[in-house]
Amino acid sequence: MRKMRVALEIEIPSDVHEIERVVELVQKECRQLKIEPEKCSLNVPVALTEALSNAILRGNREDASKYVRVRASVSKAGDMLVVDVTDEGAGFDLPASTLNCTTPENLEREDGRGLYLMQCLVDRVEQFVDGGNTVRLTVQRG
Amino acid sequence: MRKMRVALEIEIPSDVHEIERVVELVQKECRQLKIEPEKCSLNVPVALTEALSNAILRGNREDASKYVRVRASVSKAGDMLVVDVTDEGAGFDLPASTLNCTTPENLEREDGRGLYLMQCLVDRVEQFVDGGNTVRLTVQRG
Amino acid sequence: MSFTIRKQGEIVVVDVEGQLIVGNRQELKQKVLDELEKGEKRFLIDFSQTGYIDSSGLGVLVSLSKKIREQGGELRLANLNDDLKTLFELTKLDTLFQISDSRERALESF
Amino acid sequence: MSFTIRKQGEIVVVDVEGQLIVGNRQELKQKVLDELEKGEKRFLIDFSQTGYIDSSGLGVLVSLSKKIREQGGELRLANLNDDLKTLFELTKLDTLFQISDSRERALESF
Ligand SMILES: Nc1ncnc2c1ncn2[C@@H]1O[C@H](COP(=O)(O)OP(=O)(O)O)[C@@H](O)[C@H]1O
Ligand SMILES: Nc1ncnc2c1ncn2[C@@H]1O[C@H](COP(=O)(O)OP(=O)(O)O)[C@@H](O)[C@H]1O
C-alpha cells in the first residue's frame, strides 16, 4: 500500500519581491523531507529563484493581473522532490534558450545565467505547456 | 493586487490509521494561519476526522486500491479556511444523511454522530461530486 | 496514543493518552470489556491527557456505558477539558454520563 | 535583507545581509555606483552574512566589476561560504574575480 503524500501549492502575483517567501516555504519543505543540507541551502533555493524570476519577468512580463503557481510534491516512488513553476505565458524552447555562460565570450555578460544554473543545480529541468507554461525541477532525495 | 496563497494537498490510502497524521498537518496549517486556538484544537481536527473516516469507511469502503485526497487552502478573499476531502465513492445526499443525534431516541445510538458534529463544528459543510465525492468544510478565520 | 488501565480500590481507572478516534476506539472497547468479563463493575475513564474525541470515540463510550449498566455496573468520566466539554454538550452526551471535574471527586462519587 | 556600506581606509566595504537576488540587486548596484561617482576606486563586497545569490545577483557583480574597472578602480570579494563558492565555480566567475577567504586578507590585498 502506498504511503501518505503531501504537496504544497503556492500562488503569487507577478512581483519579484514575492520570490523570497516562496523559496523559504519550499526550503522548509525540503528540510522536512530530509533532503541533503546543501541542496536545501543552495541548489533548490537558487534553481527555484531562477524559475520564479523567469516566470514573473519573461512568462508573465510582470503583468499584475497574472499569477505564478508553484507546486512542490514528492514523486510517487518517494525518491524525488518535484517542483513545478507555472506562469501564464506562451512557453519557450528550453534547450534553445539555455546559454553556456562559462565560455570566454559569455563570461562577462550580465544576463543569461538563469537556465544554465538551473541545469547545474538540479537533477532534471523540463519545460512543457499545459494550461500555462510549466518549468519542472526534479531533485533526487538523499 | 492579491497576496500569496498557500494550499496543502495530502493523499492517503484508505486506512483509518492515517487520519491522525493528516489532522496534525492541517492543525499546523491552522495555527500558522492564526485561526482561533479552540478551532485549531477542537473544531477543525474533529470535523476533519469525521470527514476522513467517512471518506475511508463509507466512500472508499476501506478498499486499499482507493485513495483519499485532502486539500486545505485559504479562500481568495483570505477570510476562510477551506478543507476539501475527496474520496473515490459515488457520493451521498448530505442533508438526508445528517441525523439529529441529540433527540431522546437517538441519544444512546453508537453511530450516526459524524455529519451532525461536522455541522456543529464548522461554519459550512457542503458535498458535491466532481471527479470523486468531495465534502467541503469551511471555517471562518479569526 | 495509548490507554493505561489500573485498579484503584474497587474501581477500574482508564487513562486515555492522545486522541480517542476511529483508529483506536476498538482497543479501548476491548480493554474495558475484558475487565467487565472478569467481574469488574465500577469504571472511571480519565481524560486529563486526551486531545480530541471523534464521533466513533463518543459512540464507544455510549456503548460501553450501556454494556456496563446491563451488568449492574457503572461508567463515570473525569477531567474533560473545555474542548471535550463542548463536544459532550453539542451531542447532549453530558446528560447521559456522570462527569466529574477531578479524579478524586470521581473516585469518591461511586 | 540589507546592505551596509562603510569606508575602511581607502576602501569601500559592502556587507550583504541575506539574499542577493532579482528583488534587491538594483539596490546594491545603485549604492555602489553612487560611491563610484563620488570618486571611490577600491571596493570590497563581504559575503559572510549572505544566504544565496541568483543569476541576476551574479550579473550585477559582473557589471559593477566592469564599471569600476572602467574608472580605473577595482572590485574584490571576500568570505564566500561553500555554497557561494560552488556557485562561482559553476559559472566560472571565480576566474573573473579576486576572492579572499577573510576580510583582513582582502583589505591587505589592495
Ligand atoms: N518562463 C519563461 N517564459 C518565457 N521565456 C522564458 C522563460 N524562462 C526563460 N525564458 C527564455 O529563456 C531565456 C534565457 O533565460 P535565462 O537563462 O534565465 O537568462 P535571462 O533570464 O537572464 O535572460 C530568457 O531570456 C527567455 O527568453
Ligand atoms: N463520504 C461518504 N460517502 C458515502 N456516504 C457517506 C459519506 N459520508 C457520510 N455518508 C453517509 O452518511 C451517513 C451518516 O454519516 P455519519 O453522520 O458520519 O454517521 P456514521 O458514519 O456513524 O453512520 C453514513 O452512514 C453514510 O451512509
Side-chain angles (χ1 to χ4, degrees), chain A residues 50 54-55 58-59 87 91-92 97 111-116 133 135:
Chain A
E50 300 301 340
N54 281 342
R58 310 300 185 180
D87 60 52
F92 65 106
S97 306
D111 61 354
R113 285 183 187 83
L115 295 174
Y116 177 85
N133 163 62
V135 171

Side-chain angles (χ1 to χ4, degrees), chain C:
Chain C
M1 173 281 315
S2 70
F3 305 108
T4 313
I5 295 209
R6 77 195 79 175
K7 273 292 281 286
Q8 261 182 271
E10 289 295 284
I11 302 163
V12 178
V13 181
V14 185
D15 281 293
V16 177
E17 286 147 41
Q19 331 307 337
L20 174 58
I21 53 176
V22 59
N24 62 23
R25 59 171 171 162
Q26 280 306 334
E27 196 184 327
L28 175 69
K29 190 169 185 174
Q30 201 48 58
K31 284 195 163 157
V32 171
L33 290 180
D34 288 350
E35 298 298 320
L36 190 65
E37 206 151 290
K38 285 190 217 154
E40 301 295 343
K41 294 267 181 279
R42 295 170 171 183
F43 291 85
L44 170 63
I45 304 185
D46 187 322
F47 292 102
S48 52
Q49 295 169 74
T50 310
Y52 53 88
I53 303 180
D54 72 358
S55 68
S56 68
L58 294 172
V60 156
L61 297 178
V62 170
S63 109
L64 282 176
S65 169
K66 252 195 278 187
K67 289 215 164 69
I68 294 169
R69 266 186 276 130
E70 282 163 16
Q71 305 293 317
E74 201 174 349
L75 169 64
R76 295 186 179 176
L77 313 179
N79 283 321
L80 300 179
N81 65 25
D82 288 346
D83 284 352
L84 297 180
K85 268 183 203 149
T86 301
L87 219 50
F88 277 76
E89 284 161 15
L90 287 173
T91 52
K92 292 224 165 81
L93 291 177
D94 57 334
T95 65
L96 201 71
F97 290 98
Q98 189 173 325
I99 302 171
S100 299
D101 274 349
S102 79
R103 189 159 176 146
E104 293 66 40
R105 254 194 290 275
L107 290 169
E108 286 162 9
S109 75
F110 276 96

Side-chain angles (χ1 to χ4, degrees), chain B residues 18-87:
Chain B
E18 300 279 333
I19 291 177
E20 221 175 317
R21 283 164 63 211
V22 176
V23 171
E24 262 170 49
L25 287 173
V26 176
Q27 257 184 317
K28 217 195 278 174
E29 180 91 354
C30 282
R31 297 204 177 97
Q32 277 170 1
L33 292 172
K34 310 228 177 303
I35 287 174
E36 284 173 58
E38 196 192 330
K39 290 185 179 173
C40 297
S41 64
L42 175 74
N43 303 57
V44 172
V46 175
L48 179 55
T49 300
E50 301 301 340
L52 284 168
S53 64
N54 280 343
I56 292 167
L57 301 174
R58 311 298 186 180
N60 289 353
R61 297 165 187 276
E62 292 186 273
D63 178 341
S65 73
K66 291 183 172 163
Y67 291 84
V68 174
R69 202 177 64 236
V70 178
R71 191 184 154 85
S73 60
V74 172
S75 61
K76 293 208 176 186
D79 58 339
M80 310 275 205
L81 170 72
V82 181
V83 184
D84 284 349
V85 177
T86 303
D87 60 51

Side-chain angles (χ1 to χ4, degrees), chain A residues 107-134:
Chain A
L107 192 62
E108 295 203 46
R109 278 182 60 148
E110 184 165 355
D111 61 354
R113 285 183 187 83
L115 295 174
Y116 177 85
L117 266 181
M118 275 162 55
Q119 302 274 8
C120 293
L121 293 169
V122 301
D123 295 294
R124 208 182 315 143
V125 180
E126 291 158 292
Q127 185 279 340
F128 50 88
V129 177
D130 169 21
N133 163 62
T134 295

Side-chain angles (χ1 to χ4, degrees), chain A residues 1-15 18 21-22 25 28-29 32 64-65 67 71 76, chain B residues 1-15 18 21-22 25 28-29 32 64-65 67 71 76:
Chain A
M1 196 151 62
R2 215 167 73 207
K3 285 297 191 58
M4 182 167 102
R5 288 178 59 201
V6 179
L8 187 68
E9 216 174 276
I10 308 166
E11 207 179 59
I12 53 165
S14 299
D15 178 349
E18 300 279 332
R21 285 164 63 209
V22 176
L25 287 173
K28 219 196 275 176
E29 180 92 352
Q32 276 170 1
S65 73
Y67 290 84
R71 192 184 154 84
K76 294 207 176 188
Chain B
M1 196 153 60
R2 218 168 75 207
K3 286 298 191 55
M4 182 166 102
R5 288 178 59 201
V6 179
L8 187 69
E9 215 174 275
I10 309 166
E11 207 180 57
I12 53 165
S14 298
D15 178 349
E18 300 279 333
R21 283 164 63 211
V22 176
L25 287 173
K28 217 195 278 174
E29 180 91 354
Q32 277 170 1
S65 73
Y67 291 84
R71 191 184 154 85
K76 293 208 176 186

